[in-house]
Amino acid sequence: MRRAFRLWSASAAVLASLITISAQPAPSTVALVIANGTVVTMDGARRVLAPGSVAIDGADIVAVDRPDVIAQRYQGRATIEAWGSVVMPGLINTHTHAPMVLFRGLADDLPLIEWLQQYIFPAEAKTVSPEFVRIGTRLAALEMIQSGTTTFADMYYFEEEIAKETKAAGLRAVLGQTIIQFPAPDAKTPADSLARTEAFVRAWHDDALITPAVAPHAMYTLDGPTLMASRDLARRYNVPTLIHLAETEAELKTAQERSKPSPVAYLDALGFLGPGVLAAHAVWVTEPEIAILKSRGVGVSHNPESNMKLASGTAPVPAYLKAGVAVGLGTDGAASNNDLDMFEAMRIASFLHKLQTGDPRAVPARAALEMATIGGARALGMDRRIGSLAPGKRADVIVVSMSSARQTPLYDPISHLVYTTHGDDVETTIVNGRILMRGRKVLTLDADAVLRDARLMSEKVKLAIR
Ligand SMILES: [Zn+2]
């Protein structure tokens, strides 16, 4: 009797476990699971899962959770084992001029105006062509994929060529066709630029990766009517407006010549400022003007390396953050940086403001990481789609090795991401669910060909500035 009972109870236990198993739905198949990493989500609660896994299907993140929970619910057709690495949102570079990587190191150690007028503008006038822009964009894309940037905001010429190359490389971008008052490589007059821009915006509207934008260069290189024609164009098509704003002290003088105390006051009086405007630099801005930028819904791209190298000044970033302005981080063009490494940008941003304010608590690691991810997404008006690892967002994800001597030991992944990590530590880069680099091998570009083409083009640049 006892024996029979034991048998019965044993089979009941088997039955019960069978019921439990069948009560759990079979794991659903997804395209990719990134498993067992330290997941730095940058989500609303700023969760860090150590360990954690991320399930990805199609272009989207399906789930972010503990590895056992993900394993129970999802089976990946492919798996990336991320033990010993950080899994985090791809970095967002909110201000660059991608093809200018071809001018990297061409002229250094000069103030902005001299650097622009004696080197960059003449070199651009003689060399910038659709071919130059294609070669430069491929080089920039290679560098960005290798260093964990998944989205960038660009202002340059022949932006349609940049769009094609960016899409082929698999990166996400907000691409602003430049409008400038003097003859440019791709347009003789501002009216030509505006027409080109409109055609570009129409051609790339609704693309999954490319957001077309209007990029009036700056208030000091454009008159009021052209600034407003640019802005109206962006408003008409509901696309972003990218502009350099208050980068150097000299720009204050231009504003004063136009009877306004500053560039911010000038643009505000024109009716230029509003949601959808991303202001690059915003260095020479007063406290009341920070309130104006905030109330108009303007985003700011902070570019500490470029500002330091050109000695332009220090943007009041702690005040922007305190005021709730959406601040992203940018490298600016490689000619004034001289690379596109957003890890370096984070570190320099944090250090610069500590030194400037005399307060080591200024721009802590967490704030720098926010600017490079969710803050950049907010500044670009894309925070519902990118900037953090959360279900329903696009799968723009990077896996960053934490195993080098430089990163050992590891107490706090966020500290390491900002204060010790280099772009070269990125192992895997995923954009819109597509793997662009895995195990340091870039899958969407022929790296050797990209470098060869860039070196060949540099010969033309050398001749141009002779
Ligand atoms: Zn710039």
Side-chain angles (χ1 to χ4, degrees):
M1 183 68 188
R2 268 169 81 181
R3 188 191 161 98
F5 174 77
R6 255 206 314 256
L7 270 175
W8 178 86
S9 74
S11 51
V14 169
L15 193 66
S17 69
L18 280 173
I19 290 166
T20 317
I21 289 168
S22 62
Q24 275 174 2
S28 38
T29 303
V30 292
L32 176 66
V33 171
I34 307 174
N36 304 313
T38 296
V39 180
V40 176
T41 63
M42 302 310 287
D43 66 6
R46 300 291 185 265
R47 283 185 309 156
V48 176
L49 302 167
S53 295
V54 179
I56 292 169
D57 201 41
D60 297 335
I61 295 169
V62 176
V64 182
D65 218 318
R66 293 198 321 262
D68 58 315
V69 175
I70 294 291
Q72 241 166 40
R73 289 168 53 199
Y74 301 100
Q75 182 160 20
R77 281 193 292 276
T79 302
I80 292 175
E81 180 56 51
W83 188 259
S85 300
V86 161
V87 182
M88 62 178 286
L91 300 173
I92 299 171
N93 184 345
T94 50
H95 182 67
T96 192
H97 313 280
M100 290 187 81
V101 288
L102 292 172
F103 297 135
R104 189 191 329 258
L106 177 68
D108 301 303
D109 312 327
L110 293 167
L112 177 75
I113 294 301
E114 200 180 330
W115 175 77
L116 275 178
Q117 290 181 349
Q118 289 185 16
Y119 293 89
I120 298 303
F121 288 153
E124 283 180 337
K126 287 184 202 155
T127 58
V128 175
S129 63
E131 189 200 14
F132 175 98
V133 161
R134 284 193 294 270
I135 290 170
T137 303
R138 286 199 289 270
L139 179 63
L142 180 62
E143 186 183 352
M144 287 190 272
I145 292 168
Q146 286 177 336
S147 54
T149 292
T150 53
T151 295
F152 68 102
D154 192 75
M155 300 170 70
Y156 212 59
Y157 309 104
F158 300 108
E159 210 64 41
E160 69 284 355
E161 303 294 336
I162 299 177
K164 281 182 234 163
E165 295 298 337
T166 300
K167 193 175 167 74
L171 285 167
R172 192 182 303 286
V174 176
L175 302 179
Q177 168 65 29
T178 291
I179 297 158
I180 200 159
Q181 208 75 38
F182 52 77
D186 61 355
K188 287 197 177 70
T189 65
D192 289 351
S193 294
L194 283 161
R196 272 191 132 271
T197 306
E198 182 162 6
F200 171 65
V201 168
R202 292 172 79 106
W204 287 89
H205 222 270
D206 298 325
D207 190 84
L209 290 174
I210 307 300
T211 302
V214 183
H217 176 267
M219 62 78 66
Y220 65 93
T221 48
L222 287 164
D223 62 21
T226 310
L227 281 164
M228 284 318 291
S230 308
R231 186 70 186 119
D232 292 342
L233 176 61
R235 283 191 171 122
R236 204 154 62 241
Y237 287 93
N238 193 26
V239 294
T241 304
L242 313 178
I243 187 166
H244 295 100
L245 177 64
E247 180 175 1
T248 67
E249 198 172 8
E251 209 172 315
L252 297 180
K253 217 179 290 167
T254 309
Q256 284 150 15
E257 283 160 17
R258 299 185 195 178
S259 313
K260 287 287 178 287
S262 72
V264 171
Y266 172 74
L267 289 183
D268 199 40
L270 279 181
F272 184 98
L273 302 178
V277 173
L278 182 78
H281 305 298
V283 170
W284 294 87
V285 174
T286 63
E287 196 79 38
E289 289 171 347
I290 290 172
I292 292 174
L293 294 177
K294 166 69 183 162
S295 72
R296 301 285 183 259
V298 172
V300 166
S301 175
H302 176 42
N303 313 295
E305 296 168 86
S306 173
N307 296 158
M308 290 168 77
K309 186 165 184 255
L310 297 167
S312 302
T314 307
V317 167
Y320 283 130
L321 295 176
K322 201 170 153 217
V325 173
V327 184
L329 205 53
T331 57
D332 208 346
S336 62
N337 184 304
N338 290 357
D339 63 34
L340 305 179
D341 186 341
M342 285 290 292
F343 286 96
E344 193 177 282
M346 283 195 271
R347 181 153 54 249
I348 299 283
S350 181
F351 288 176
L352 170 61
H353 298 288
K354 294 176 196 315
L355 183 68
Q356 166 79 7
T357 59
D359 180 2
R361 283 163 297 209
V363 187
R366 196 166 299 273
L369 187 60
E370 283 178 2
M371 285 195 283
T373 54
I374 189 68
R378 274 182 66 214
L380 289 169
M382 297 170 84
D383 49 314
R384 278 190 305 187
R385 289 193 283 154
I386 58 169
S388 63
L389 302 184
K393 280 199 168 180
R394 298 301 88 76
D396 291 9
V397 186
I398 59 174
V399 181
V400 186
S401 169
M402 282 288 150
S403 58
S404 69
R406 180 163 28 76
Q407 294 158 315
T408 305
L410 171 63
Y411 299 110
D412 175 359
I414 290 171
S415 166
H416 271 16
L417 287 172
V418 175
Y419 295 133
T420 72
T421 298
H422 297 179
D424 293 355
D425 297 315
V426 176
E427 298 168 319
T428 297
T429 301
I430 298 166
V431 176
N432 217 39
R434 181 183 181 195
I435 303 177
L436 310 188
M437 178 173 80
R438 184 164 185 178
R440 294 291 303 159
K441 180 165 174 47
V442 175
L443 306 173
T444 52
L445 287 161
D446 176 347
D448 292 338
V450 169
L451 300 181
R452 190 182 57 233
D453 290 350
R455 289 186 190 114
L456 282 171
M457 186 53 79
S458 74
E459 296 301 325
K460 288 189 189 171
V461 174
K462 271 186 229 166
L463 289 175
I465 56 154
R466 246 186 213 162

